[in-house]
Amino acid sequence: MTAIAVLGSTNMDLVAYVPKAPRLGETVTGREFRTVPGGKGANQAVAAARCGGEVVMIGAVGADEFGVRLRSALAAAGVETAALRTVEGASGTAHITVDDEGGNSIIVIPGANAHVTGLEAGDDSRIGAADSLLLQLELPLPAVLAGALAARAHGVRTVLTPAPAQPLPAELLAATDLLVPNEHEAAALTGLTDPYQAAEALLHQVPEVVITLGAAGSLYAARGREPLAVPAPRVRAVDSTAAGDTFVGALAVALGEHRPVPQALRWASAAAALSVQRPGAQDSMPTRAETDAAALAWPSTGPGPAPGTAAPPRPGGGSGPRDGSGAGAAS
């Protein structure tokens, strides 16, 4: 079993489901409201645990009812929570609007996550005992950098999801083994909207990149190798919240099990495709058995487009589908 440490955020997601998201200044009537455990760090931890990883979560929750629920949800998924601290004040929250096409918009209020500014006693050894460390940007950057440097010191693979998108210190990129932005984050980091060009630019800073492309799947690039386009299963999206986190958690498990990169990406895409067909964040994440079954049911055509999907375009080409009907590696 692959060991995964996650240094990241825990949030309670406050989710409003609406036929169509409101424009600025507009009021709309929703059809449902839910409070569900989330946070990019916790989401990736749950996804990895459900896909068969042995996962430890490093972070913080508030001394409130949400904090109790967030800790309980992680434990129920099989995530070790001994390094999840409780701090005074409110837990982090994410205010999410989901429309009938499965699209979402999110406002994150850090709460307890803002108190995680570095590693605490025992965190270095927890990271050192892992095969991979998963990082995101919903914690203060000094904590993210401290985690990446600890992983580098121990020879642990560092997987960074650069979300929310922001300028990244050169020291953090130098300690990152695999960068997993979505297409918008890749564009924000490079100023390039073409995913192939963005991936090439990012390889000057990190050795490996996976850019997730929603309905068009994902694009893998590594120094000294040709880019690899992996399509997404074609599905009808209900809620794309946390699909990218599902992809990263599943990918970390697959890579930790030393699966070939094309197989690992397809397996992660299958997990993400299952997640978008269900409402919620952590509640939507599939088990290992479900992911195995979905990957086996997906026609195997090797790298490149599969039936009913589209690979990301080469520079100068047209765009892939963006209608939400395929979401194996949702952005």
Side-chain angles (χ1 to χ4, degrees):
M1 181 179 289
T2 185
I4 296 172
V6 181
L7 174 61
S9 60
T10 55
N11 294 323
M12 186 61 73
D13 291 350
L14 311 177
V15 190
Y17 293 90
V18 297
K20 186 177 181 180
R23 295 171 296 181
L24 186 64
E26 180 183 17
T27 299
V28 299
T29 299
R31 55 181 172 77
E32 188 177 359
F33 173 77
R34 295 182 181 181
T35 58
V36 292
K40 293 194 71 64
N43 288 345
Q44 291 182 7
V46 170
R50 288 192 178 162
C51 282
E54 183 178 334
V55 184
V56 57
M57 179 74 200
I58 305 170
V61 295
D64 56 6
E65 181 184 352
F66 284 168
V68 174
R69 288 182 58 188
L70 290 167
R71 184 183 298 276
S72 176
L74 285 164
V79 176
E80 170 59 56
T81 61
L84 185 65
R85 285 87 185 182
T86 299
V87 300
E88 290 301 318
S91 297
T93 54
H95 304 253
I96 305 173
T97 300
V98 179
D99 64 28
D100 281 351
E101 298 299 316
N104 64 65
S105 59
I106 306 173
I107 299 172
V108 174
I109 299 175
N113 298 302
H115 293 265
V116 184
T117 56
L119 301 182
E120 296 194 9
D123 291 345
D124 184 84
S125 60
R126 291 182 178 97
I127 292 170
D131 298 305
S132 298
L133 172 67
L134 306 188
L135 297 167
Q136 319 78 35
L137 300 178
E138 290 184 344
L139 295 183
L141 269 176
V144 178
L145 178 58
L149 293 176
R152 178 53 53 94
H154 289 287
V156 173
R157 180 200 297 266
T158 301
V159 181
L160 173 62
T161 303
Q166 58 185 280
L168 299 179
E171 193 177 10
L172 175 58
L173 289 167
T176 297
D177 296 301
L178 173 61
L179 189 70
V180 191
N182 66 23
E183 56 194 314
H184 310 294
E185 292 151 3
L189 290 172
T190 65
L192 300 168
T193 57
D194 180 272
Y196 283 91
Q197 294 176 354
E200 183 178 358
L202 290 168
L203 289 180
H204 291 291
Q205 300 174 297
V206 296
E208 289 184 286
V209 176
V210 175
I211 300 179
T212 61
L213 298 160
S218 61
L219 174 66
Y220 170 80
R223 293 171 182 168
R225 297 178 60 175
E226 284 295 313
L228 173 66
V230 177
R234 192 166 185 83
V235 300
R236 175 57 58 186
V238 171
D239 182 353
S240 61
T241 304
D245 295 330
T246 302
F247 178 88
V248 171
L251 181 62
V253 171
L255 293 176
E257 294 173 351
H258 306 292
R259 303 191 193 194
V261 169
Q263 182 186 111
L265 291 168
R266 284 175 55 86
W267 198 71
S269 290
L274 288 170
S275 77
V276 303
Q277 297 176 74
R278 306 166 178 172
Q282 294 170 21
D283 289 345
S284 72
M285 294 173 176
T287 64
R288 184 182 183 94
E290 290 173 327
T291 303
D292 284 341
L296 285 173
W298 182 7
S300 179
T301 59
T309 67
R314 284 285 185 179
S319 61
R322 291 292 186 273
D323 62 0
S325 57
S331 57

